[in-house]
Amino acid sequence: MSPLTNTLVFLATLAGMEVFAWWAHKYVMHGWGWGWHRSHHEPRSGWFEKNDLYAVVFAGVAIVLIALGSAGYHPLEWIGAGMTAYGFLYFVAHDGLVHHRWPLRYVPRSGYLKRLYQAHRLHHAVEGKERCVSFGFLYAPPLPVLKRQLRELHDGPLRKAEASADAPTERSDAA
């Protein structure tokens, strides 16, 4: 396959992973897969949480695709590479930036990263798996839209959600 085709497959997979991640987060992780994902919505003790098993599963799929593509089943290696790149971006933005699971404790004050950070804080403002907003990991709807959705889902203001979107957390793993 041509380098252009490989690049396009890689980029399409990278973009498509956000759509898949949104779907999986909303319907699997907050649905029948809540048993693993619940740990992500509760205070974490230790380095890992049960939710990390999702990353292991998706990494395993990417490894298999890369191996199959390398064995001649093109362009599976580029699909696996796109999944891997998405996983890396997820690790940096979600685990690092939002949940402070790596040493750098940066809280963005403006722009895209602030919007992403605040949207995910609004996702975690709800107790349990029901009536949450913002299921994407690298795309976040505008904050006024998310706040309106929360008010509609909860029949009025959700002060915890609206406050937690703007304020950094005291605990490094609370988001």
Side-chain angles (χ1 to χ4, degrees), residues 18 27 38 42 87-88 91 119 127 131 133 144 152 162:
E18 178 64 6
Y27 296 108
R38 176 187 295 119
E42 297 172 343
F88 174 75
F91 171 72
E127 298 281 334
R131 302 183 301 163
V133 297
E152 290 170 0
E162 293 176 355

Side-chain angles (χ1 to χ4, degrees), residues 14-173:
L14 185 61
M17 282 301 298
E18 178 64 6
V19 174
F20 172 77
W22 175 91
W23 178 86
H25 189 192
K26 184 169 183 159
Y27 296 108
V28 175
M29 295 176 190
H30 280 255
W32 57 266
W34 180 249
W36 284 3
H37 190 63
R38 176 187 295 119
S39 67
H40 184 64
H41 286 263
E42 297 172 343
R44 181 171 35 89
S45 61
W47 189 259
F48 295 104
E49 55 192 41
K50 201 170 191 178
N51 183 68
D52 294 333
L53 292 171
Y54 284 112
V56 172
V57 168
F58 295 136
V61 171
I63 290 167
V64 168
L65 290 172
I66 292 169
L68 288 172
S70 298
Y73 295 96
H74 307 293
L76 294 181
E77 70 272 30
W78 295 104
I79 294 171
M83 289 177 67
T84 301
Y86 183 85
F88 174 75
L89 292 173
Y90 169 90
F91 171 72
V92 170
H94 179 263
D95 287 350
L97 176 72
V98 176
H99 292 290
H100 302 289
R101 289 183 69 183
W102 36 267
L104 181 62
R105 300 277 195 249
Y106 172 70
V107 176
R109 301 291 178 212
S110 64
Y112 163 75
L113 292 178
K114 179 180 179 181
R115 179 168 147 179
L116 191 68
Y117 178 86
Q118 289 178 325
H120 201 71
R121 300 275 299 149
L122 286 173
H123 174 77
H124 282 271
V126 176
E127 298 281 334
K129 68 178 186 173
E130 304 295 332
R131 302 183 301 163
C132 294
V133 297
S134 190
F135 291 92
F137 293 113
L138 299 179
Y139 169 75
L143 272 291
V145 170
L146 294 175
K147 288 180 179 183
R148 186 189 79 241
Q149 288 174 347
L150 272 173
R151 283 190 297 274
E152 290 170 0
L153 288 168
H154 295 272
D155 299 321
L158 183 64
R159 294 200 196 293
K160 178 183 171 191
E162 293 176 355
S164 71
D166 298 320
T169 180
E170 293 288 323
R171 295 183 341 228
S172 65
D173 66 334

